[in-house]
Amino acid sequence: MAKYTIVDQDTCIACGACALHAPNLYDYNTEGVAYTLLDNNTGNMPIPESEEDNALEAEFNCPSLSIKIADHPFKGDPHD
């Protein structure tokens, strides 16, 4: 089953954990807040199967719990 990811930019503290564990999935914008590279943080593109473990590692290591992963698209809302 496909997994999707998004960053809750309201709670992101820009610690670097997501980019460290999944550099192909997460980066930082000009304000220093993380976002998903797959779809510019809309949460609509499935995580490539080869990156799922990295995404889960990033989610686990995010101290602010800002990395969200689900079995459904987020449609731009990390609280969905």
Side-chain angles (χ1 to χ4, degrees), residues 26-37:
Y26 306 101
D27 200 1
Y28 294 88
N29 63 22
T30 57
E31 288 85 37
V33 177
Y35 71 97
T36 59
L37 291 167

Side-chain angles (χ1 to χ4, degrees), residues 54-63 65 67 69:
N54 294 336
L56 292 169
E57 192 71 19
E59 178 189 40
F60 178 78
N61 285 286
C62 179
L65 306 175
I67 304 298
I69 297 175

Side-chain angles (χ1 to χ4, degrees), residues 32-64:
V33 177
Y35 71 97
T36 59
L37 291 167
L38 294 172
D39 52 20
N40 202 24
N41 211 55
T42 63
N44 293 322
M45 294 287 297
I47 299 169
E49 207 171 300
S50 61
E51 292 289 333
E52 282 186 12
D53 288 343
N54 294 336
L56 292 169
E57 192 71 19
E59 178 189 40
F60 178 78
N61 285 286
C62 179
S64 61

Side-chain angles (χ1 to χ4, degrees), residues 4-6 39 41-45 72-78 80:
Y4 299 83
T5 186
I6 196 169
D39 52 20
N41 211 55
T42 63
N44 293 322
M45 294 287 297
H72 58 82
F74 286 93
K75 300 177 186 167
D77 184 359
D80 185 26

Side-chain angles (χ1 to χ4, degrees), residues 3-23:
K3 302 239 183 254
Y4 299 83
T5 186
I6 196 169
V7 177
D8 184 342
Q9 294 183 315
D10 292 332
T11 60
C12 176
I13 60 171
C15 72
C18 58
L20 175 69
H21 293 286

